[in-house]
Amino acid sequence: MSWDAEVLIIGGGQAGLACAQALAERSREALILDAGAEPGASWRSRYDSLRLFTPRRLSGLPGLALPGDPEGFPGKDELADYLLRYARHFGLSVRSGTRVGTLKRRGAGFAAVTAAGSVYTARAVIAAGGAFGQPRVPGFASALAPSIAQLHSAAYRRPDQLPPGPVLVAGCGNSGAQIAAELAADRLVLLASRRPVRLLPLTMLGRSTFGWMNTLGLFAAPRNSVVGRAMRRRPDPIFGLELRELIGTGRIRWKPEVTGAEGERVRFADGSEEQPAAVIWATGFRPDLGWIDVEGTADELGLPRHHRGVSPVAGLYFAGLPWQHTRSSALICGAGRDAAYAAEHIAAYLQDHRPI
């Protein structure tokens, strides 16, 4: 059987590009299918004020540094430009504007059927959609009155999307914290969090705090190591002390977890209620594996089955998952390490399963 590529990579973000380059270094052909207009396009759709908490020296992929102040923090468009440049610099094969609707087994390999009906085949596939599948919103959000504006953080771009008045940001990861700080410039912000927020300064002694943690090996510790297990038990820290200042001045009011909603009021874990003009659900994402029509891909919770990105389904791999191997697996600074591991495994698989 003839194949369109040895390896299909579904997703053209940092994880997919790193995998393609790692395979190219091992003389293996990869074709990236990406729904966006260009590699890295998903970064352009993030909120305008987004800045990474990893410095530039830790925000590049193997073989091409991110230009600029190495201790500075890149914005989302800067990173999108870099990923496009990375794909062009290494001559990676990318089919942009190609959304895969279904992945199926075909003979000893796989067939990816696009939304437009095209079919691409390969001996192996890397699902590199990363950590952002379907936005997660609590079911009770539908009980809020239509007069309360609602959107997920994935759809937030800038403050003028929202009506005047208090805003509830439900969820306090780094995205929720950055959005809350931006909105607090001209309105009251209620920031709800399930757990106490752990704040760390963005820089320490002239270097990024993330850089110090990386130097200490915290972000290279395997998920099941003593350090990895300890990190997974604790919520991720919020990088930057803006929240402390804004909470101190009253421009942001901390609230416990949102537990319900009805009409124009939102209920919290302490029994209190508030009436915001708008709600931003910074409540994360859930995996979206519905497009993979291959038995054995997901567990009973709908999470991908894998060990360091290697699926029990022969020839199927994952990239860019949270804690795929380490804390940095879903970050750009960890993409290269995971890509190298996957590429080694795939090269061996292709060698052992050569077409007759």
Side-chain angles (χ1 to χ4, degrees), residues 135-150:
R136 183 190 291 118
V137 175
F140 56 73
S142 61
L144 277 172
S147 58
I148 307 299
Q150 296 187 67

Side-chain angles (χ1 to χ4, degrees), residues 162-168 183 186-190 275-278:
L162 306 176
V167 175
L168 167 64
L183 292 171
D186 64 358
R187 68 186 81 201
L188 172 66
V189 175
L190 308 170
Q275 184 174 336

Side-chain angles (χ1 to χ4, degrees), residues 156-227:
Y156 173 78
R157 300 292 177 269
R158 59 194 69 87
D160 62 14
Q161 285 177 275
L162 306 176
V167 175
L168 167 64
V169 178
C172 192
N174 277 280
S175 291
Q178 284 191 9
I179 292 170
E182 177 177 51
L183 292 171
D186 64 358
R187 68 186 81 201
L188 172 66
V189 175
L190 308 170
L191 181 60
S193 173
R194 177 181 301 175
R195 301 176 181 178
V197 176
R198 185 161 55 107
L199 301 176
L200 290 178
L202 196 59
T203 60
M204 296 175 61
L205 302 176
R207 289 182 58 191
S208 76
T209 302
F210 193 97
W212 286 112
M213 297 172 77
N214 185 65
T215 299
L216 293 171
L218 298 182
F219 293 103
R223 58 175 287 121
N224 290 321
S225 67
V226 173
V227 173

Side-chain angles (χ1 to χ4, degrees), residues 308-323:
R308 293 192 64 175
V310 180
S311 166
V313 176
L316 179 62
Y317 303 83
F318 294 97
L321 299 175
W323 281 103

